[in-house]
Amino acid sequence: MSRVTSVDTAATRAGLRDHLRVALLANLVLQGVIIVTGGLVRLTGSGLGCPTWPQCTPGSFTPVPQQEQGWHVFVEFGNRLMTFVLAAAAVWVLVGAIRRAARLGTPAARRFAWWAAVPLLGIVAQAIVGGIIVLAKLDPKTVSPHFLLSIVLVAYSAWLVVRYDEGGAPTELAVPPLLRRLAALAAVGFAGLVVLGTAVTGSGPHSGDADEPIRFGFDPVATSRLHSGAAWLFVVCLVAIAVLVRARHRDDVPPDYRRWWTAALHLAIVEGAIGYLQYFLGLPGALVAIHMGVSALLTAVITRAVLATRRPVSAAVPAREAPHLRA
């Protein structure tokens, strides 16, 4: 009877752990989705569909009949509602992590509960930046940080999933130092590429408001070429990783490293093709939205690939804290 009870208890704990992982994945996906919905606000010229903040229009937190912004108000208000969906997922993550910390009582679980608070704090910060954007009439100097913070939250959310799977275990280097350095170089190159991408957007035709466009003032063609050059350097770095991985003995490179960096290379090629296509077609909104969505996905993949350069020190991890690592 006691054996059955212990099995049931273990199953219950595993179920709670799985629920937290679902919450972490939901948070990760929604962090990417809100990048796309925010991009659609900009691409449809709906950035001032709700002309005030935190209210949508003076005297009302929701759209009002016959609002002069027309259908743009529903695009902007829909993106604001997405913030609440994302906040719900972040609260789910935080509550699940706190419950796990209380149940396990280990330092690693308590640390993870603190880490789990960051997505919710990031959403609050994003809401404040969003308000500044509206008050600044969509000045790209405020819009670019809004996007970059979203990218950081995607990367952080991907990191949270991995750390949960590892059970908070200490880690050690899993690949030769050269591959670790190349991975770090690729990550830095990708970060620079994303920053340059915001400069391209802030210099192009999609200001977020068709009536009062505010732009950086950079030469759009020169900025696009600089962004393209950075993209080529990034892809070259990914190709170098792929070549070295193939040249190494299979035991020197864990399967995760091979898998995630191969995925990063393929996705980067797709993203580059979309970038060139949208440039030569005059930046159609639909392609730009896809480009933004793939950038969010690539951010998560690059984060996972960088984390594949190290592995948990299994011997130092209690079985109940890292059930995923048991053979």
Side-chain angles (χ1 to χ4, degrees):
M1 182 69 176
S2 59
R3 181 186 176 115
V4 173
T5 302
S6 65
V7 170
D8 289 344
T9 302
T12 301
R13 288 179 175 176
L16 290 172
R17 284 192 291 266
D18 289 343
H19 288 161
L20 178 52
R21 193 171 195 278
V22 170
L24 289 164
L25 290 173
N27 170 68
L28 173 58
V29 170
L30 289 171
Q31 293 286 1
V33 169
I34 203 165
I35 288 178
V36 177
T37 61
L40 290 175
V41 171
R42 187 178 192 85
L43 295 169
T44 57
S46 304
L48 294 177
C50 286
T52 62
W53 186 91
Q55 295 180 322
C56 179
T57 192
S60 176
F61 285 93
T62 60
V64 297
Q66 308 303 319
Q67 194 167 325
E68 63 176 319
Q69 286 79 18
W71 60 270
H72 294 292
V73 66
F74 298 107
V75 180
E76 164 64 5
F77 187 69
N79 185 58
R80 292 190 182 190
L81 289 179
M82 268 299 302
T83 301
F84 292 99
V85 177
L86 182 54
V91 169
W92 184 12
V93 166
L94 180 57
V95 171
I98 291 173
R99 290 180 61 195
R100 174 174 176 265
R103 184 179 70 251
L104 297 178
T106 62
R110 287 193 291 270
R111 282 196 303 271
F112 190 85
W114 284 105
W115 297 338
V118 172
L120 185 58
L121 295 175
I123 293 166
V124 173
Q126 282 289 61
I128 294 172
V129 174
I132 293 172
I133 290 172
V134 173
L135 298 176
K137 303 299 182 184
L138 310 181
D139 189 315
K141 291 189 291 294
T142 61
V143 177
S144 294
H146 197 46
F147 173 77
L148 292 175
L149 181 53
S150 287
I151 288 292
V152 169
L153 288 172
V154 168
Y156 185 86
S157 297
W159 176 82
L160 267 185
V161 174
V162 175
R163 287 306 285 157
Y164 171 73
D165 286 345
E166 293 171 346
T171 60
E172 61 185 4
L173 189 64
V175 297
L178 178 58
L179 287 178
R180 175 67 178 270
R181 287 193 289 269
L182 278 174
L185 181 62
V188 171
F190 179 70
L193 182 61
V194 171
V195 172
L196 284 172
T198 65
V200 173
T201 302
S203 305
H206 300 296
S207 67
D209 182 63
D211 297 327
E212 299 180 34
I214 304 177
R215 316 308 298 133
F216 273 131
F218 303 142
D219 182 345
V221 175
T223 310
S224 296
R225 287 175 178 170
L226 183 61
H227 180 59
S228 176
W232 277 107
L233 290 175
F234 172 62
V235 170
V236 166
C237 190
L238 294 182
V239 170
I241 291 175
V243 170
L244 283 174
V245 164
R246 287 184 175 274
R248 292 277 179 175
H249 191 275
R250 186 168 293 274
D251 293 338
D252 291 341
V253 183
D256 263 6
Y257 188 94
R258 295 173 182 270
R259 183 183 310 115
W260 286 106
W261 283 108
T262 299
L265 175 59
H266 293 164
L267 199 56
I269 292 172
V270 170
E271 178 78 325
I274 295 171
Y276 274 108
L277 185 61
Q278 70 177 16
Y279 178 79
F280 288 116
L281 292 179
L283 302 178
L287 274 180
V288 176
I290 294 172
H291 195 58
M292 295 179 69
V294 176
S295 71
L297 179 58
L298 187 54
T299 298
V301 171
I302 289 292
T303 302
R304 184 62 185 84
V306 170
L307 293 174
T309 61
R310 81 286 184 283
R311 62 183 166 227
V313 183
S314 303
V317 187
R320 66 170 182 167
E321 182 66 11
H324 312 75
L325 301 178
R326 293 201 301 266

